[in-house]
Amino acid sequence: MSEVADVGSTESEVATLTQRLIKLDTTNPPGNETLAAELLRDYLEAAGVECQLFARVPERANLVARIPGRGSGPTLALLSHTDVVLADANDWERDPFGGDLVGDTIWGRGALDMKGEVAASAVALATLARDGWRGDGDLIFVAAADEEVGAGFGLQWLVEEHPDAVRADFSINEGAGDRVELGGKVLYLCATAEKMSSPFVLRVHGRAGHGAMPSIADNALVKAAPFIERLGVFDVEPRLIPEVEGFLAALLGEVPPATDALARAREIAPLAGELIEPLLGMTVAPTKAHASDKRNVIPALCEITVDTRLLPGQTPEEAEATIRAWLGEGEYELVNTERFGGTRSAIDGPLWDAVRSFVESEEPDAAPAPICVAGFTDSHWMREAFDTVAYGFFPSRAMDSETAARLIHSANERVPVSDLELGVRWLRHAAQTVCG
Ligand SMILES: [Zn+2]
């Protein structure tokens, strides 16, 4: 038996495992996630859970653990990642790799993103296994490497090279779970969809010349300026995607017309407006500009990078047409440089029912509300490869969502132990209801 498995309560068990994970430096790059994978394997095997390590390179292992089902019921995967982003100890009040427990709170890099959820998932499996629980379908736990950089050592690689190890009908990952109070209504946000990142480059051509004689050149930087200004006030007709309809229904008890949605949400609470505003249409933001490399050379070319986020279901081709229509006629090129994410899962079925029944059992007056997240997580690999119903839902209520958002990828990241214990209960509930 490992020392952790002997600890009495679920709360101390998940706290101890979180602390031990934080003490392993898995800063990516370089990652070294094998440290975490081996700790989790030792912990889970002591509870009788089958584990396998899959590694493209030895120091960057992914752990896949499984409680096999009795029959052919649905498979649920608990997804997580063990790498963390850089922490500069000078900015912290405590050692970012110390895992200090201060009162009810564990401090350290990864406490929120996401070694706390890694530990909660492992404890959910270990306690279910010790209880002798088996579902009708398999329960899988994936502690993947390399989510923060995405260089092909983590879930993307597993899905491509070891699909049988990670294939699942349903999955639960990071992404949401925040408890928000909006105008007296308590909602737990569940991420059921993700926007697509689809950046463009806007190119404007001119004619080079000496900076001392501007009149005989044709300055591409100056010619680009009106396009940048125009993109700065980009606006589209609002439309309601199913996730926003579901959110508004939970918030207002009805779904207003798209043109009234923002005003109605803001009326309830400013935060409600902030949550849905970027989800009412595609967004564009000019973020980078490149023209001349030399102070005294008038540029013949100016390139503007336009960060562009699409609603799930929208395509870069549709976005290009919309941006061109907004900019109007003119001498410019517009080139799509990437398409990433933009997937969604249905807001109904067994996993949604599990979210709802958990929220209602925790707080009878609260309701779950779907949300589409602006960024993306590993969930999209599962949706794309296996058509998995993938949600981001790890409930938190001891720490409010604005505080948590400020701490993720930042200094003094920390997590209340009571939220980790809440997370263990949620993951056990999900396994017991979804796997049958
Ligand atoms: Zn993360």
Side-chain angles (χ1 to χ4, degrees), residues 173-210:
N173 196 356
E174 62 181 346
D178 332 37
R179 177 190 189 277
V180 290
E181 275 188 61
L182 301 169
K185 188 117 196 173
V186 177
L187 301 178
Y188 281 78
L189 303 179
C190 177
T192 60
E194 300 174 346
K195 289 186 92 173
M196 177 188 276
S197 170
S198 166
F200 285 82
V201 171
L202 178 89
R203 285 202 190 97
V204 178
H205 293 273
R207 193 174 59 253
H210 197 290

Side-chain angles (χ1 to χ4, degrees), residues 170 188-194 240-250 279 312 343-356 368-372 383 388-391:
F170 299 93
Y188 281 78
L189 303 179
C190 177
T192 60
E194 300 174 346
L240 293 184
I241 53 176
E243 295 76 20
V244 173
E245 287 178 342
F247 176 83
L248 291 169
L279 305 178
T343 58
R344 62 157 47 106
S345 294
I347 314 167
D348 55 24
L351 188 54
W352 184 256
D353 293 344
V355 171
R356 178 182 296 284
I371 198 83
C372 172
R383 294 197 188 108
T388 304
V389 173
Y391 292 166

Side-chain angles (χ1 to χ4, degrees), residues 29 52 66 70 123 128 153 161 167 200 287 333-334 353 358 362 384 413:
Q52 260 187 300
R66 182 181 303 265
R70 289 172 276 104
V123 170
L128 286 168
F153 296 95
E161 299 298 323
R167 181 180 287 110
F200 285 82
T287 50
E333 292 165 35
L334 190 64
D353 293 344
F358 182 76
E362 287 294 322
E384 284 160 10
E413 185 179 351

Side-chain angles (χ1 to χ4, degrees), residues 81 113-114 147-148 174:
H81 63 85
D113 182 18
M114 63 176 290
E147 191 269 350
E148 298 290 0
E174 62 181 346

Side-chain angles (χ1 to χ4, degrees), residues 80-81 83-85 112-115 117 147-148 173-175 376-378 408-409:
S80 62
H81 63 85
D83 59 324
V84 295
V85 295
L112 291 165
D113 182 18
M114 63 176 290
K115 285 176 169 172
E117 186 173 342
E147 191 269 350
E148 298 290 0
N173 196 356
E174 62 181 346
F376 40 76
T377 67
D378 270 347
I408 288 173
H409 289 204

